[in-house]
Amino acid sequence: MNHTSYIEISKSAYKKNIQFLRSEVGENTTISAVIKGNAYGHGIENIVPIAEGVGIRHFSAFSAAEALRAYNASKKQSEIMIMGMLENSDLVELIEKGISFFVFEFDRLEEAIKVSKKLRLKAKVHIEVETGFHRTGFEWEDREKLHKILNSNLDHLILAGLCTHYAGAESVSNYVRVRDQIKKYLAYKDWLLEKGLEFEKFHSACSAATFSYPETIMDMVRIGIASYGFWPTQETYMYKFKTLPENNKNPLKRLINWKSTIMSLKKVKMGDFIGYGSSYMAPRDMVIALIPIGYSNGFSRLLSNQGKVLISGKIVSVVGTVTMNSIAVDITDLSGVKKGDEVVLIGKQKKNEITVASFGESTQQVNYELLTRLPLDIPREVIA
Ligand SMILES: *Cc1c(COP(=O)(O)O)cnc(C)c1O
C-alpha cells in the first residue's frame, strides 16, 4: 500500500440496496441511479459498472461533465440524464450522444431545438416544472408558451420526461409544502396532457419521497443516497421502520469502508501534551498510535479529541488535534497492537462498527456532505 488510506466499495451491498429499492417501487418503475457529486463520493467510474451489473440502465448526473463520464463508463448503452448544469455549447455533443437533460428555461429549450434542427437529431428533454422548490422549473404561468413551443417542435424533441423535485421530503416539517408540490405537479401534468402532449416518463421522487410519499413513485424514481446504503435522514428510517419485515429491519447497506494502517507507536508520560498546542494532556502514562490520515484526507479537524477509530476490533479515541496528515489515538488499554495493523475509520472490524452517521454526528455533517467530501485522491477499491 503506497497510499495512507483507501476506500473499499462493496458490490454486494449495492446489490442488496437495489433489491430493496426494487421491492419498494415495483417492477414497472425505472430506477435511475443518481451519480452526481462523483457518485456521492464513490466514483462514477466505479458505480456505473456495478449498477449495470445489477440491471440499472438509467443514470442521473448533475452536470454535462459528469454525464459524459457516466456515458464513457457505461458498457450497456444506459440512458444518461443531466438534472442540472450544462452550457449551450455542450448541446451538440449531448444530443449526438443521446444524453437527455432537464429543461427548465426557454433559453435552453430554444437552443436545444436549434441544435437539433442543425444536427437533424431529436433532443431528448425532461421538462422540469416549478412546484415549490423554487430553484429551477417552468412556472405555471409559462404553461401556454411552453406548450406552444413543445407542440410545434415535436419533430425536433423527444419528450423523455416531465419532472419536478421536492423541497425536503426527508422531514415531516415540510409535509404541507411537499403535499402542495405533489398537487401542483399533477395539475401541470394534467394540463399538458389535456393539451395533447405525451411524455415517456413522469418522474418526481428522490429517495426520501420514494419512502415517505409512495404516490410520487410514478414511471421512474431518481435514487441517490439510498442506493449508497443510507437513509436520507433518521426520520425517514423511523417512518419506514414499522413496515420493514422482522428479518430485514436494516435493508440499506453502506458500500464504503475507509481503512488505514498504524504508522508508528509511542509511549507518552503522564502530564505530557500530545501533538500541537495543549489541547490534550496525558492523564496517565499512555501508548498512542499514529495514523497517517488528517484533515487533508477528509478526516475533519473538528474530530480533534472527538473522533473514534477501530483498532484490533476495539473503539479507540483521537487524542490531540487532527493535523493535516495524521492523528494520534489512545491504545493504552489494548495489547498486541503493532505498526502496520489495520485501522478502520469508517466500517466494521470484528464486532464493532464506525458508521458514517456516528463519524458525522460529531462534526454536524450530514451523510451526503461527508460522502462527497471524501477526497478524490484516496484510492477506491471495488470489492465483492
Ligand atoms: C440529488 C437529486 C436526487 C436524488 O436525491 P437522493 O436524496 O440522494 O435520493 C433526485 N433528484 C434530483 C433533482 C436531485 O438533485
Side-chain angles (χ1 to χ4, degrees):
M1 179 167 96
N2 48 19
H3 287 268
T4 67
S5 71
Y6 60 99
I7 295 171
E8 291 174 349
I9 296 177
S10 162
K11 274 203 258 197
S12 54
Y14 190 87
K15 183 174 180 184
K16 289 194 182 114
N17 298 338
I18 296 299
Q19 280 169 345
F20 172 63
L21 288 159
R22 176 56 66 207
S23 71
E24 286 290 304
V25 304
E27 288 304 319
N28 298 323
T29 295
T30 301
I31 297 176
S32 182
V34 178
I35 46 111
K36 68 189 182 191
N38 196 30
Y40 292 49
H42 296 70
I44 290 174
E45 288 74 12
N46 296 324
I47 292 298
V48 168
I50 295 176
E52 288 184 331
V54 296
I56 297 288
R57 294 290 182 271
H58 201 292
F59 294 93
S60 297
F62 181 79
S63 66
E66 285 177 345
L68 290 168
R69 281 173 60 193
Y71 178 88
N72 290 328
S74 168
K75 300 279 173 286
K76 305 273 183 194
Q77 280 109 41
S78 292
E79 283 285 328
I80 316 284
M81 174 173 88
I82 300 172
M83 305 186 293
M85 180 64 186
L86 55 96
E87 302 272 0
N88 285 344
S89 58
D90 297 326
L91 282 169
V92 170
E93 182 173 14
L94 297 175
I95 293 172
E96 278 177 349
K97 295 198 154 115
I99 295 174
S100 67
F101 46 89
F102 278 28
V103 170
F104 39 77
E105 290 173 335
F106 287 112
D107 169 59
R108 186 178 290 180
L109 182 57
E110 280 154 9
E111 201 62 29
I113 291 167
K114 218 190 297 173
V115 172
S116 143
K117 283 181 181 164
K118 202 162 67 195
L119 297 175
R120 296 171 187 277
L121 271 176
K122 290 187 179 188
K124 280 189 206 169
V125 298
H126 296 259
I127 302 299
E128 187 185 14
V129 295
E130 178 58 70
T131 57
F133 189 39
H134 298 129
R135 298 276 286 263
T136 48
F138 286 103
E139 301 287 335
W140 173 244
E141 291 70 29
D142 292 331
R143 66 193 183 283
E144 298 277 357
K145 180 176 174 192
L146 178 64
H147 166 257
K148 207 166 135 201
I149 297 178
L150 295 178
N151 198 45
S152 53
N153 286 286
L154 293 174
D155 290 342
H156 312 294
L157 297 172
I158 294 173
L159 301 184
L162 183 76
C163 55
T164 195
H165 186 51
Y166 300 112
E170 68 283 352
S171 170
V172 74
S173 61
N174 303 316
Y175 181 80
V176 173
R177 188 169 172 200
V178 171
R179 280 252 83 81
D180 189 54
Q181 282 192 275
I182 297 171
K183 240 167 48 195
K184 288 194 166 124
Y185 174 79
L186 294 176
Y188 220 134
K189 172 186 166 187
D190 288 346
W191 191 88
L192 290 168
L193 286 180
E194 251 168 55
K195 290 279 178 181
L197 286 182
E198 286 172 24
F199 295 85
E200 287 177 2
K201 285 187 166 70
F202 297 100
H203 55 100
S204 67
C206 57
S207 302
T210 298
F211 294 132
S212 302
Y213 302 85
E215 68 273 37
T216 65
I217 290 174
M218 309 180 193
D219 301 313
M220 180 162 83
V221 290
R222 307 181 304 259
I223 302 285
I225 198 77
S227 67
Y228 303 105
F230 298 95
W231 296 93
T233 53
Q234 188 65 12
E235 198 181 311
T236 312
Y237 183 36
M238 285 159 59
Y239 177 79
K240 213 50 213 163
F241 193 79
K242 61 181 181 310
T243 65
L244 295 169
E246 238 10 270
N247 61 357
N248 197 16
K249 283 289 185 196
N250 196 7
L252 294 179
K253 309 290 180 200
R254 185 186 61 243
L255 273 59
I256 64 162
N257 292 309
W258 186 15
K259 293 178 175 174
S260 183
T261 48
I262 294 178
M263 175 170 80
S264 136
L265 300 177
K266 181 182 277 295
K267 288 190 172 134
V268 179
K269 287 244 174 315
M270 183 170 96
D272 286 347
F273 290 105
I274 296 176
Y276 288 123
S278 52
S279 79
Y280 190 87
M281 185 203 274
R284 54 176 175 161
D285 287 352
M286 291 174 72
V287 185
I288 57 167
L290 277 299
I291 324 283
I293 53 101
Y295 57 79
S296 73
N297 312 108
F299 199 90
S300 171
R301 212 170 162 278
L302 297 169
L303 293 164
S304 299
N305 291 311
Q306 299 276 338
K308 308 277 182 212
V309 306
L310 295 172
I311 293 175
S312 304
K314 298 282 189 327
I315 298 173
V316 294
S317 302
V318 173
V319 287
T321 53
V322 174
T323 69
M324 185 183 289
N325 296 103
S326 68
I327 53 172
V329 298
D330 176 10
I331 55 159
T332 314
D333 298 329
L334 305 187
S335 55
V337 175
K338 49 186 196 315
K339 178 172 159 173
D341 281 0
E342 179 188 83
V343 179
V344 170
L345 309 168
I346 293 175
K348 263 201 185 123
Q349 202 185 42
K350 300 200 177 143
K351 289 206 176 93
N352 280 312
E353 182 170 14
I354 309 258
T355 64
V356 171
S358 71
F359 185 89
E361 265 154 24
S362 43
T363 63
Q364 303 279 315
Q365 293 184 71
V366 294
N367 293 338
Y368 292 83
E369 182 177 353
L370 197 141
L371 289 171
T372 53
R373 283 168 73 109
L374 289 171
L376 290 176
D377 58 6
I378 301 176
R380 271 70 165 163
E381 188 184 310
V382 176
I383 61 168

